[in-house]
Amino acid sequence: MPIVVNLDVMLARRKMRSKELAERIGITEQNVSLLKSGKVKGVRFDTLGRICAVLDCQPGDILEYRPGPEDEGTPGDDA
C-alpha cells in the first residue's frame, strides 16, 4: 500500500504510549494498534484531528505517501 502510517514514530517522539493516546482521543487501544500497523482501510478526519491535537503535529507527520511499482504511470494509463 502506498500510504504508510508513522503513528508509532510520532508516539516515540512525544514519549507517549498507545494506551495514553487512546484514552486522550477516545478510541480503543486496539484501534490505535490497528492504525499504527497500517491495517485499517481509512481513518476519520475527526479522529485524525484529535490525534494531531494530542501529538501536536500535522497529518503529514503521521501519514506518508510512498509509491510502489504498482503506482507508476498516470491514472488511466494503459501502458
Side-chain angles (χ1 to χ4, degrees), residues 10-72:
M10 287 307 301
L11 284 167
R13 287 182 182 166
R14 301 299 187 251
K15 296 179 173 58
M16 185 181 294
R17 294 188 179 269
S18 297
K19 181 177 181 177
E20 181 183 350
L21 178 66
E23 290 171 355
R24 292 181 63 181
I25 65 173
I27 67 173
T28 66
E29 206 174 336
Q30 176 66 25
N31 282 338
V32 171
S33 178
L34 289 171
L35 253 174
K36 282 174 40 178
S37 67
K39 293 182 180 177
V40 295
K41 297 284 184 195
V43 60
R44 293 180 182 197
F45 283 152
D46 62 324
T47 303
L48 183 58
R50 291 194 309 267
I51 291 169
C52 289
V54 168
L55 296 178
D56 189 27
C57 66
Q58 294 295 312
D61 296 326
I62 297 170
L63 302 174
E64 179 183 351
Y65 174 70
R66 288 190 200 158
E70 69 278 2
D71 300 313
E72 291 182 7

